[in-house]
């Protein structure tokens, strides 16, 4: 994922780990940040996940790592 301007200016990179559920209509919801990177990266990871198409599997819970690298 792309670093936010604030993270880039502070030379921050790493991985945001988020957990969420997929609703019956395929919408991600109930986001919990398990590993925060800060500087707007957590919100950017959630925004990206919300824009992807999801299909609910047998378990609605998803844990995902979103890397932010320079």
């Amino acid at each position: 994922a792309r670093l936010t301007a604030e993270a880039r200016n502070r030379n921050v990179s790493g991985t945001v780990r988020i957990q969420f559920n997929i609703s019956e209509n395929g919408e991600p919801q109930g986001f919990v940040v398990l590993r925060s990177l800060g500087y707007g990266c957590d919100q950017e990871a959630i925004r990206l996940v919300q824009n992807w198409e999801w299909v609910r599997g047998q378990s609605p819970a998803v844990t995902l790592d979103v890397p932010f690298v320079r």
Side-chain angles (χ1 to χ4, degrees):
R2 278 193 139 157
L3 284 168
T4 63
E6 187 176 1
R8 202 169 30 257
N9 290 340
R10 295 178 185 268
N11 202 28
V12 171
S13 63
T15 301
V16 173
R17 177 171 287 166
I18 54 177
Q19 189 174 60
F20 55 96
N21 292 309
I22 306 297
S23 70
E24 291 192 19
N25 64 357
E27 298 291 324
Q29 60 188 17
F31 288 92
V32 176
V33 177
L34 301 176
R35 183 186 308 139
S36 175
L37 197 53
Y39 304 105
C41 293
D42 302 348
Q43 293 81 3
E44 177 64 5
I46 291 170
R47 185 192 71 77
L48 289 171
V49 167
Q50 288 175 324
N51 286 327
W52 296 341
E53 290 187 30
W54 293 93
V55 176
R56 184 176 171 145
Q58 288 197 346
S59 172
V62 176
T63 301
L64 182 67
D65 288 340
V66 181
F68 287 85
V69 293
R70 292 183 111 1

